[in-house]
Amino acid sequence: MEMRVAAGRWTPKLVLVLVLLQASSLVSGSHFRYGTMSWRPIDATDTEVGQTILADPILVRHTVAFEFKAAYRRDYEWGKFFREQYRPPNVAGGTQVWKDGGSCYTEDSCSVLGISNPSNYMLFPFIAQGFYVGWEIKLAVGRSYFELNVTGPNANDELSDTRRPCVSPFDTGDKPLCRGGVPSGTQYPTTQIDPTTNCVGSICAGSLVPYEITYPDFVSALTVPCEQVDDAEPDYCSPWSQTYGFFFGDSDTTGIPLSTDVVLEITEMNYEVTNVGNYLLGTASFYHTYQEAGVPKKKKDDFTPWTAYFTGGNRLTYSTDRLINNHQGRFRLELTVNLNYPGEVIGKQGYVPNNSPVMTALPVLPVPYTGRSEISANGVLATFQVSGFDPDIDPEAYKGNKLESNEAVYYFLGSQRKMGMLLANQVPDLKFPSRWFRAEYEEARRDCYLSSCIPVGGVADPFILVGTGANLIPAGVNLTVGQTFTPDPLNAAHNAFATFKYEGTCSECAGGNRTCTQLREEGPSGITIETPLNFTCELYEPWDNNVNLAHQPERLYLDRYSGVVQWETGINPRDVDNATYVTDFWNHRDPGDETKVTYAKRLAAKGTQPSPEQEPLQPGFYNVVFDVRSYSHDPDCHLKVYDAATLGSISPHTGKAFTLPAPGNGGLYTEAQCKAVDDENMIDIAYVSVPLDFLLFLYPPASWCSKSKCRNTQAGITTFRDEGFYGTQNDVNVLSTGSCTICGGGEWNLYDVSAAGLTDKQLNLTDYTVCLQDDDCKYDFDTVAITPAIEADICKRNTPPKWVDQASAGNDDGNTPTPRLADRPTWSTLRVVPSDPTSALASDPFIDGVPIENVYPGLALFLGQRSSEVRFNLTAVDEDDCVEMQILPIGLFMGYTMYTMTEDGLTKGTQACTYKDATKDRNCIYNMKLELIRRIGTTNQFYRTFIWKANDTLPQIQDPRPPNVIVCFIPFDNYQIGVRRCVNIILSKDQALFWVDARPKLRELFLSENERNDAFEEIVSKCGLSVTGPNLKHYENPCEYTPADLTTFYISPGQTLEFYMTAMQDSGNPPIGIYISEGGTMRANGTVGPPEGATFEYLEYDDKSGKTHLRDPAKRRFTWTPKEGQQCKYVLCFIGNNTRELEESIEFTSTFFWTRPFVPIPALLDERCYTIVVADQQLALQAGSFVDAAAALPSLTSDCGMTFSMWFFPEGTTTMPLATFGYTKPGETDNIVYMLEWDPVTAVVFHDGITVQDLGQYYRLKFSTGQSYIIQTDAEFCVNEWHFLTFTIAPNGNFVLYLDGVETTHYSDDDRDFHVVAVETGSMPVVDGKVEIIGDILNNNPGYTGFLRIGSFDAVQTFNGMIGDVRIYSRVLTAEEIGAKQFVPLTATSEVGLEAYYKFNDGSQADNTLGNPQGNFNKYRAQPPASADPDCNLAGDTFCNNDVRDAPEGPFGSEMKAKGQSVTDLSGNNNHAIGCDDANCRKESTMYFVFGPSPITPPCPQETSPDVVHVDGGTPIAISGIGFARSQWLKCSFSMSDGSIKVIKAVHSDNSTIICANPGSPDLTVSALEVTNGGVNFFTNFQIPIYMMERVVSFPETGGKVTIKDACDMIGTNLFSMGAWVYPLSQSSSALEDVISLIGMTSNDQTGLLSVRYDGVRFVVHEKIGNTETALGESPDAPAHNMGEGSGWHYVMLSGNTDRLVLYMDGESTELTATSISLSTCDLELGTTTTGRKAFFGYVEEMSAFSGFLNACDSYQIMWGN
């Protein structure tokens, strides 16, 4: 026995049988999912309406643009029913043809494919994501398979006129049969009944459906003309049950209603074959000029707006689709249009026309069962919110921020009429025909009853029980099966009778299913399948308007102000809910009348228990329709008298009585009444109404297996949207955290509520055993008993997502803007006074400077500024183990509803953006938007950034953005929706913001006699320098000024960079925010922070009140001590903003730094950008200078020996000392103990009698002692390169000298590494078994003074070059240790015996004559261009373009003196060295710290040119960056496709550019390029991709070709694609070079040619038929070899069919003129040798040809080898 399907409840002791049929004959009634409509006035960019309308202001004001959005079943048989057709997107130069499978039958103008052809039904099968976007579906106007038109006359001279849709949903449009020989047109009394009157009996006054005055042959509303043949077809109007299409509500000059086909453009295609998936979503836009009899009209009459509606097809079925209410019902999207211009009406200077509200929703909204004892996301029961907004903006709101700018929207449940009214009422379900009307339904019930409910061997009781007075009902009362008689106490004849329900023989079929009929359909292989359709009396009860007409879901309540919907669903599909309410059930009180409580009879307070117990609702789909309204601004509402007697008092839309004018007001509504749109029964003219029609899916809450307990590798239960797993969806709108097995809920299986002992597992509520199928689930069944509590711990119920609130409201911590404690969510936007007099709101009338009356309860407050961008994060968290998160917007404003403003702040009455700019082109900056969703690390938190851009060049008073708006957002985890969060954005006008620096005019502004700013004066007083001097240099100020824009800082690892960003306003109006806007590190919450290891902290000024406040001015200190490995170039930009906002509210994607030449930057939002270069320093010596490191010598003794290492870069050509160890006796000259020298070797010259060749300059490393003991290495070829020396002396006298490493062999030639390693060994003199080392000498002779001169020895023996990284050990390092440390900076704490370590990173401008601010960093300033601010004024960036150069543009060799300067020992032993000064080294000598790399420095490559090379190898690749040392070990590393690495020696151009040859690859690959200065330790922080292409065919300039014979046997000119990678070498445009050609014979024996050619700049396409040649189009520029940016390889593909010809070049498509050539036979040629055609000069590879037309995506995939 089936259950009752019309109600939303389960009936006890019944079994639900889900008949899952896939009958094609039923699809017609099962494809509509969701729909909404809106309208707007047109503007000048709506060119589609035509110039006739745009040129006429009257027509413009009566023309609207409709926006239609709907979702349908995807794999519905499109093209089969209702004149529906489809087509792919149009192409350039042509329009695609509409297609169908016979949906129009014989109407040739509709179908291009002929009568019903199933092969042409479109099911939109999956091809590729996004494939169908742009396809169109035509939703036509018609009835059945035909147009609404006039047909006939027939043999009786009778016409059928269905051009008018029937006014009443219960009008069949069929004339009665003429009887008794009366002529056609004879008037018969109307007999059709309107069941909504609840009329009982055969004749009911007022229940008859009237014959409308607009119908043909109208005589009276109470009569209908007859016809001679009863054809059962509509004759005078098209009935609701058969009509489809869009109707505007007005008529043409003949009175025929105006309508249009809706062309739905597909925007989204969902392929999930689940209950909530498998849909297509589309939009349509179309226009209409409202008129009556050809005359433009704003509305139908004084008190009636136009009513436009769309209807078409039926809703889902019950048996196959599980739609519980309104299954197979008609749908009707109905809105009202009332064209008013609010500003114009009340005489304001500017106005913008009124718009309708705009609604958004998911096509299917999942709603989990939520019992009374549970608190849902919104506090009570199952809750969700309707999403909509009104884009209209009140012009008065621009005068300040006290008025809410956007109009209020009110929400109501749609009436039966707006739901479509009619249901199919098939008896039984799926049995055609549909029974739209009561009489038909009762007849079908009778037929099924008589055929199904027959006792065995007996006869069924009569369907109608006629009352006789002796059979339990009075005479004259007739009951059908299932009807109940209730005695009328006012009728004496009923006194003897009790209430009686007539059930007939229903008891015979109540206990089981009885087949009423069979559903026949063709199954696979032509087999006919018959499915029984069953009938039960309980399921098909007597007609009930609340069941058999369209109706909302049961127990669903809506708050009209917030759109919050509460639904009492029950606990789950099985159990009754007998709990008390855990919190107050919805109890909204109408404003101004505390005694009036909406829904008072249904709702209850916390702790109450309704009686009787509530049965659960059935799981499945529920249709819900909302009627959403906003104020119409129609003055007629309160200016014209409403005569209810004449105009009526019942709304045709709702069927309810209108609210009438207030008594004593002369029949006039008051203006307050007209604005009371929250009155559901207000006159229609007061509001504009739009529909929202969508589906709810009620399901048991889903559950996931615990991640901590189980692996979640096995698929679990299939739900309405997932197959076994949750947490796997990732796209631009949804992010996930990882897969969890689904262990319950989400669907409902077959069950019998009367059956005992069924478990939750059997009922698919939860099934923890699904989780335990993983092998390592952390439960041992032998030791742990699985209790219900443990089951719940394993199989966890899904919870809704929640907002991550700011720690305190208004605190910019990157989380979601939060309502203050006194403003926690209530669902009313009415302003209220706090009831608690002790609350913060009551004691403080302002919140952050905004009056309390401007703050809406339940709203988060965001304070911004006019003409400044608004940005904040919306951060949500889901505490489930797995998450699929979406964050969805509601009511984002578009710029087309905003006003342009005059200089005085008045609205001009023109739009800030056109509708096209705002919605179609999406280039209106005033559009609100949400960035893509992002996940915070590996947490379950996600965020989207809200952005509302501004034109910051406009004065604040002219900002077109409304200053006080509300926008809302919801989090959604694909199963449950969280609480809606609304943010009240208030934009305030503010004063200019200035960076505090040394500009003279800044002092004039803040320290003038009349305007003294104490805070600025306090800052200036710290500087100690005048800020008004004419020659003042920015970098000379030791105070905490903001650096000038484009300043460059150089700093070395281990040094500290510190500067201040100080900003202030002349108003002193806090707070001020200072942010890193670009170039920093992206934080987890999406904000930009300082680089790793750096800090950026606020230093707040004291306001002398004893408290520290965020105030004006604001100062923030940037501090960074870079570490080893961070050597690179960093660009950081900083923004000052005159509201301390969330850091993510700043636009991080744009910067003024990169848009030079300089453009004016508004003072309200100023950005300064700085370059920070982290680089090593070296010591540069010339003409006799040295560094003395004698402090380390006493530790070098014979106890453990010694090791000395240093890097050096020689620049001289004579013998030069490198390091000299020695001592001085009192009164004597220097005594040398050891000396290391760089010694030239005589050049080798080769002479062969013809040429003389110098083989180069060779050097060797020489070591000598004071006794002239000499060891020297082999000679090395040296050309300005770094070298590494090391020597060790062991206690036993063993001596080893290393040059450039410890290896005894070098790499093979194949590895292209040619550096030489020299190692020499020997022994030192030994006395008493020990060698005497320099430390021994000094320790044994206290009067001696030691020296270790690194560099020159004296004025004669000098060193020219650079020294870097000196290490001194008091022990002997092994060869392995030396080799391991050679290219690695040391960590002193990890070294044993390290006595001194000098990196020479000691240089700075501090204490120099250059006047650098205090600190050990270097600061440089770019010279401003001539166009920079010549007066050094206060707007924009800081530039003083005077004769004084601000600072050096970059490092130069003589800026950081080292003479007399200390050199830091980094070993921790304080053995610091000292640079010689003029007293102890040659006066003419120089010694400086310089920025530059050595082989130890990690290079920082940043980009390459080219980045696409050939697998053959040899292509030079230029790599740019910083930190490239002139090193013989300088190398590039290339990763290969087989996992191997190829290392290539690099050529050093300068410190920012090197060149490496492409090593080649066995196949196509993307190689990771890395660079090292030291041969090892590649700097993997920067890996640059290099694309290696395959081998090519080379075409010589003299001509060559490759021919593919008989190509037309495979492809043809009517459907083909051919493409290849092409590398042109020719730069001549004198003639076209043939690259790819199809050449052959046409069908009429003419020669034909279709060719892609190259003209030296771009590719062009030509066709030639016979002697006629035609150019079809050309590509964008494609430069040939060495012809600048973009030159080299290009991918070219030509693709064509009969309608289109497209040339793809490097992924870009160019539509060409379609070719007219058709070749019967042809060859495909690459290049040419044909006389008269120029040969292609260059390379070709990866040639491919296809016998089909390829789109841009296909071409791109093939281009990259997919």
Side-chain angles (χ1 to χ4, degrees), residues 848-896:
D848 291 348
V850 176
I852 184 62
E853 60 266 22
N854 298 348
V855 182
Y856 301 95
L859 300 178
L861 179 65
F862 183 91
L863 297 178
Q865 291 139 331
R866 307 286 295 274
S867 296
S868 296
E869 181 184 84
V870 172
R871 178 187 287 253
F872 53 81
N873 274 4
L874 295 150
T875 305
V877 64
D878 194 325
E879 297 171 351
D880 295 323
D881 281 14
C882 286
V883 181
E884 293 178 359
M885 181 69 80
Q886 299 184 60
I887 297 174
L888 305 173
I890 303 170
L892 298 186
F893 282 78
M894 297 290 187
Y896 74 91

Side-chain angles (χ1 to χ4, degrees), residues 441-698:
Y441 173 78
E442 292 295 340
E443 182 181 359
R445 287 182 65 237
R446 182 198 62 192
D447 292 343
C448 271
Y449 169 77
L450 293 177
S451 64
S452 301
C453 299
I454 304 175
V456 177
V459 179
D461 290 337
F463 183 71
I464 300 176
L465 176 64
V466 179
T468 64
N471 58 357
L472 301 179
I473 56 175
V477 174
N478 299 333
L479 297 181
T480 62
V481 168
Q483 272 191 316
T484 299
F485 164 72
T486 302
D488 182 358
L490 300 180
N491 189 337
H494 293 186
N495 291 343
F497 298 93
T499 300
F500 169 72
K501 182 178 181 181
Y502 176 56
E503 297 193 34
T505 322
C506 270
S507 58
E508 298 297 330
C509 59
N513 295 317
R514 295 295 180 93
T515 300
C516 176
T517 186
Q518 300 281 347
L519 175 69
R520 295 190 177 190
E521 55 181 333
E522 292 295 321
S525 305
I527 300 174
T528 299
I529 299 175
E530 292 191 355
T531 304
L533 299 181
N534 300 310
F535 173 84
T536 70
C537 294
E538 286 198 23
L539 191 59
Y540 300 98
E541 292 185 350
W543 180 279
D544 182 343
N545 287 343
N546 294 322
V547 174
N548 298 93
L549 296 178
H551 53 282
Q552 301 283 0
E554 288 192 65
R555 306 201 299 260
L556 184 138
Y557 315 117
L558 168 68
D559 178 66
R560 67 191 64 179
Y561 299 101
S562 65
V564 173
V565 178
Q566 292 181 303
W567 197 15
E568 190 165 10
T569 60
I571 305 171
N572 56 48
R574 174 186 60 183
D575 302 315
V576 297
D577 193 351
N578 55 13
T580 58
Y581 292 108
V582 72
T583 186
D584 287 343
F585 199 163
W586 194 257
N587 195 354
H588 175 77
R589 295 181 180 271
D590 279 4
D593 185 358
E594 291 296 320
T595 63
K596 180 181 178 183
V597 180
T598 310
Y599 314 127
K601 294 182 179 179
R602 295 184 175 179
L603 309 186
K606 178 180 178 180
T608 60
Q609 180 180 6
S611 179
E613 298 172 332
Q614 291 284 15
E615 298 287 344
L617 299 180
Q618 295 186 51
F621 289 108
Y622 288 81
N623 168 234
V624 62
V625 177
F626 294 99
D627 176 4
V628 185
R629 305 175 185 178
S630 66
Y631 182 39
S632 70
H633 297 274
D634 191 335
D636 286 350
C637 180
H638 63 274
L639 295 179
K640 294 190 176 183
V641 174
Y642 184 80
D643 183 359
T646 304
L647 300 175
S649 60
I650 303 296
S651 169
H653 303 291
T654 66
K656 297 180 181 180
F658 286 131
T659 297
L660 296 177
N665 202 35
L668 291 174
Y669 286 101
T670 65
E671 188 169 359
Q673 276 185 301
C674 292
K675 289 183 176 180
V677 182
D678 58 339
D679 180 355
E680 183 176 10
N681 298 319
M682 189 55 200
I683 190 79
D684 295 344
I685 204 65
Y687 58 84
V688 173
S689 168
V690 298
L692 177 63
D693 188 325
F694 66 107
L695 294 174
L696 307 176
F697 185 79
L698 181 61

Side-chain angles (χ1 to χ4, degrees), residues 353-417:
N354 192 37
N355 294 260
S356 79
V358 178
M359 302 303 298
T360 59
L362 299 172
V364 180
L365 177 65
V367 178
Y369 280 91
T370 309
R372 299 172 188 161
S373 61
E374 298 179 87
I375 297 180
S376 70
N378 286 291
V380 57
L381 303 182
T383 51
F384 61 91
Q385 285 177 286
V386 184
S387 307
F389 78 110
D390 191 314
D392 293 320
I393 295 170
D394 185 352
E396 290 292 299
Y398 284 93
K399 294 181 179 179
N401 56 25
K402 293 185 178 182
L403 293 177
E404 181 183 346
S405 304
N406 49 310
E407 291 187 347
V409 172
Y410 302 93
Y411 305 90
F412 302 93
L413 292 173
S415 65
Q416 288 184 311
R417 174 189 176 94

